[in-house]
Amino acid sequence: QREHAAMIGRGLDQGWATALVPELVAARAAQTPAKVAISVPDRVLTYGELDAAANRLAHFLQARGVGPEVRVGLCLERSAALVIGALAVLKAGGAYLPLDPAAPAERLAFMLRDAAVPVLLTDARLAAILPRGLWETVALDADAARIARESAAVPVSHATAANLAYVIYTSGSTGQPKGVEIEHDALLNLIEWHQAAFALTAADRTTQVASPAFDAAVWELWPALAAGATILLPDEATRVAPLALRDWLVAERITVSFLPTPLAERVLALDWPQATAMRFLLTGGDALHHRPSPALPFTLVNNYGPSENTVVATSAPVAVVGEEPPPIGWPIANTVAHVLDEALQPVAAGEVGELWIGGRSLARGYLGRPELTAERFIADPFAAAPGARLYRTGDLVRLLPDGQLAFLGRGDDQVKIRGYRIELGEIIAALNACPGVTESLVVAREDTPGNKRLVAYIIPAPDAALSADTLREALAARLPDYMVPVAFVRLDAFPLTTNGKIDRRALPLPDADNTTWEADYIAPRTPTEEGVAAIVAALVGMERVGVDEDFFLLGGHSLLGTQVIARIRDTFGIDLPLRAIFEAPTVAELAAEIDDRLLASLAGLSDADLAALLAE
């Protein structure tokens, strides 16, 4: 038990702040008003400008009843406006609710209703397509003149460290997402730990890369702004293209950056100039498969944490040698971690147990879900302090000899895809609601290392005419794109173990015989279409792809799109920009773009060169 006791005590060594985030940022604005706070491709915002803009918007919000414990929706793309909006909500004393603009309207409407927001901050473009409700929709661009009339003076906020700072929704096993409530004090613990662990100062240049609805964005913003650092936002094409992102990080002299694990692993595989200003590359959100090269000129830090513990719970630099995969580190400051068995008793070092987390960073609980909160957050049986709690993560780990934790997987049906935590039960509930589906099961398969994908197994109703396109359409109306399965496998019955339970290990791989295809499958008709279809099929884990199937509806995303572009370059010798796959997402459209570029390149050849090429 000695190792376990040491584990419990680790990290309880950092002080407590008194000023909240808005006060910390305002202090930086007073000290260095001309210092650049936010830099995006089309806008630069100094600390003075950021603070004044947020003050005006905060007064505007307070006039609409925003104050302590009042939640405000924030639906914006990564931008300076997003930062102004979030800071303004905090200055008004409220709590912000980050929303993904790409999420289905039904899902956004549920979260807005569930959080009982009086105001939704967005922009004019998104306001035209976002759901309407009892909340007032404010477009920060279209309503800029009204907001500008407000005072730039610091608003009076009655929020305390015990009030909500933000609410972020995660997938829910009941079929609906659940809101995690984070208080100011928990956010301050993240800020204080981060600034101390990575020696963050006003001289640093950091990044904002994560999606606004991914809680890593919380981590990217507030420690840097509280330190007076400069935050830079790459454009969307650069953000998801590993080579371009590496070059941007070097050119912009970035010193500390967070990248989601799948993207970080691709960036780490590139050669890096020794002259880079980077000191720390932080990663997390998914299992890290490999250790860094000794040639990297910066430190790679692996991080782990559920939303219920304010983004980060454990962290550690990744050594270049050691067992694979790398561990998830030690508890951060003011955080405790226990590895327990089913009876809530500590397991011996090296044995597998479930990870329970406690300390200052814990969430208040789930918004409007007291029963679920009581189930997942319990009184800490190991703590002497009254009111101490533990959160049940559901993650299986083991304690290593040096006190770090090795992540071994989940003990339930929760998975992570592209950094997003997903309750498979939510997808199953949506599938079972589809006409023609008798029963379903969803699993996350990683048949190719590093390429995790969702696969749905369906028992159809008798004579049901199910197709992948109709199922995807139904799911896309309720779920975000990263929760829509890549493949739909038809089964007469689920395989069972000798104990009568579903045998997940016996579930078949998707193949041409068992997969529900598009209703009107059209095979490739030209060599170019055949080549593109083969590339897309290999990357999304499908045996075949029709020419009219959409890459993104097959489970593709921006990071996977960069691999499509790279393989097209290797196969056809054509350099396409990443935006090509967004503008031409089907096999037929992408093949036509390739053919057009090939013809254009041939048109520039001389007769002799053309004859030589044809001879080859």
Side-chain angles (χ1 to χ4, degrees):
Q1 303 297 316
R2 186 169 57 253
E3 292 89 347
H4 182 76
M7 186 69 185
I8 293 173
R10 193 170 190 112
L12 299 176
D13 55 4
Q14 203 158 301
W16 296 62
T18 55
L20 304 187
V21 166
E23 296 166 310
L24 295 174
V25 177
R28 292 296 178 181
Q31 293 166 4
T32 55
K35 172 80 184 298
V36 174
I38 305 294
S39 176
V40 295
D42 60 348
R43 187 177 184 185
V44 172
L45 206 63
T46 67
Y47 270 89
E49 292 167 338
L50 170 64
D51 198 55
N55 285 344
R56 289 189 174 93
L57 182 54
H59 285 293
F60 186 84
L61 292 172
Q62 286 181 331
R64 282 151 180 79
V66 176
E69 300 303 308
V70 176
R71 297 164 291 274
V72 177
L74 189 62
C75 191
L76 290 159
E77 306 285 359
R78 292 181 317 109
S79 61
L82 174 74
V83 183
I84 292 171
L87 180 58
V89 174
L90 297 179
K91 280 176 171 284
Y96 69 95
L97 166 62
L99 299 165
D100 184 356
E106 181 180 332
R107 188 180 184 86
L108 292 173
F110 170 83
M111 291 186 283
L112 291 165
R113 289 194 305 268
D114 190 57
V117 303
V119 180
L120 169 62
L121 300 180
T122 185
D123 59 32
R125 180 182 67 84
L126 292 171
I129 58 176
L130 288 173
R132 299 290 179 175
L134 297 178
W135 52 87
E136 177 185 356
T137 298
V138 176
L140 296 183
D141 47 0
D143 293 316
R146 285 201 298 155
I147 297 168
R149 289 195 289 268
E150 299 287 345
S151 170
V154 177
V156 176
S157 169
H158 298 287
T160 70
N163 286 126
L164 282 183
Y166 68 90
V167 175
I168 196 159
Y169 276 78
T170 66
S171 181
S173 59
T174 61
Q176 296 287 5
K178 55 185 182 291
V180 179
E181 300 177 294
I182 301 296
E183 296 175 350
H184 277 278
D185 190 62
L187 177 56
L188 289 171
N189 192 59
L190 175 74
I191 292 170
E192 294 163 11
W193 162 75
H194 178 93
Q195 291 178 348
F198 307 114
L200 196 71
T201 71
D204 278 299
R205 294 168 63 83
T206 70
T207 62
Q208 204 283 291
V209 173
S211 164
F214 182 15
D215 68 349
V218 171
W219 187 20
E220 293 175 305
L221 289 178
W222 305 123
L225 291 175
T230 296
I231 302 176
L232 294 91
L233 284 69
D235 61 42
E236 194 62 21
T238 300
R239 184 179 77 95
V240 298
L243 187 61
L245 181 58
R246 180 208 61 185
D247 292 345
W248 180 85
L249 291 168
V250 173
E252 294 291 350
R253 307 184 312 284
I254 301 300
T255 57
V256 181
S257 180
F258 166 82
L259 297 180
T261 307
L263 180 58
E265 290 193 317
R266 297 204 61 204
V267 170
L268 289 167
L270 302 172
D271 292 329
W272 281 77
Q274 292 300 309
T276 179
M278 184 85 75
R279 296 187 292 112
F280 295 102
L281 179 60
L282 315 176
T283 191
D286 215 326
L288 182 64
H289 295 88
H290 307 293
R291 291 181 176 272
S293 163
L296 284 178
F298 50 79
T299 299
L300 174 66
V301 182
N302 196 23
N303 303 272
Y304 159 89
S307 297
E308 289 84 349
N309 198 72
T310 318
V311 191
V312 183
T314 66
S315 176
V318 182
V320 297
V321 294
E323 62 178 75
E324 299 281 3
I328 58 175
W330 299 282
I332 70 167
N334 303 308
T335 299
V336 296
H338 302 264
V339 186
L340 307 177
D341 62 19
E342 292 183 359
L344 298 186
Q345 294 301 308
V347 303
E351 292 186 3
V352 178
E354 184 175 354
L355 178 60
W356 292 72
I357 297 171
R360 186 182 165 195
S361 287
L362 272 194
R364 177 188 294 177
Y366 298 111
L367 177 63
R369 305 282 293 278
E371 292 182 359
L372 182 60
T373 298
E375 176 188 328
R376 304 298 294 190
F377 295 84
I378 67 169
D380 186 349
F382 307 100
R389 299 175 303 147
L390 288 180
Y391 167 70
R392 182 177 192 171
T393 68
D395 290 325
L396 301 179
V397 298
R398 63 185 174 90
L399 189 62
L400 300 175
D402 65 353
Q404 292 199 69
L405 291 167
F407 177 79
L408 304 176
R410 291 289 301 177
D412 57 18
D413 286 339
Q414 192 182 101
V415 299
K416 277 199 171 182
I417 299 289
R418 289 154 51 194
Y420 292 96
R421 192 176 71 187
I422 297 170
E423 293 278 4
L424 296 178
E426 185 175 354
I427 308 174
I428 292 169
L431 264 175
N432 289 344
C434 294
V437 175
T438 299
E439 196 173 352
S440 67
L441 182 68
V442 179
V443 300
R445 302 193 68 114
E446 194 168 1
D447 303 302
T448 302
N451 185 20
K452 191 182 295 182
R453 58 184 179 141
L454 293 173
V455 176
Y457 293 87
I458 297 170
I459 299 176
D463 302 323
L466 293 178
S467 67
D469 53 357
T470 57
L471 290 171
R472 287 197 188 99
E473 183 178 354
L475 294 181
R478 296 184 56 178
L479 305 172
D481 60 351
Y482 57 83
M483 291 179 66
V484 178
V486 170
F488 299 87
V489 177
R490 300 184 308 272
L491 295 176
D492 294 329
F494 295 132
L496 302 178
T497 66
T498 54
N499 295 327
K501 296 182 179 180
I502 295 176
D503 187 354
R504 284 170 168 76
R505 295 182 180 180
L507 290 168
L509 281 168
D511 60 31
D513 295 325
N514 63 24
T515 302
T516 294
W517 301 103
E518 301 299 333
D520 299 312
Y521 171 76
I522 301 175
R525 299 154 296 196
T526 68
T528 306
E529 287 183 348
E530 288 177 358
V532 174
I535 290 170
V536 172
L539 289 173
V540 300
M542 303 289 288
E543 188 165 323
R544 70 178 190 182
V545 171
V547 297
D548 290 332
E549 294 184 56
D550 189 300
F551 169 72
F552 297 102
L553 293 181
L554 292 172
H557 48 84
S558 300
L559 185 56
L560 210 57
T562 64
Q563 298 185 51
V564 172
I565 297 301
R567 295 193 184 190
I568 286 174
R569 181 176 60 248
D570 295 341
T571 303
F572 298 101
I574 294 293
D575 277 314
L576 292 177
L578 180 61
R579 70 173 183 275
I581 201 165
F582 290 93
E583 297 170 351
T586 68
V587 169
E589 291 170 332
L590 203 52
E593 179 69 18
I594 293 169
D595 285 338
D596 287 346
R597 290 178 179 251
L598 285 171
L599 288 172
S601 64
L602 291 175
L605 295 177
S606 65
D607 291 342
D609 290 338
L610 184 58
L613 182 62
L614 292 173
E616 292 180 3

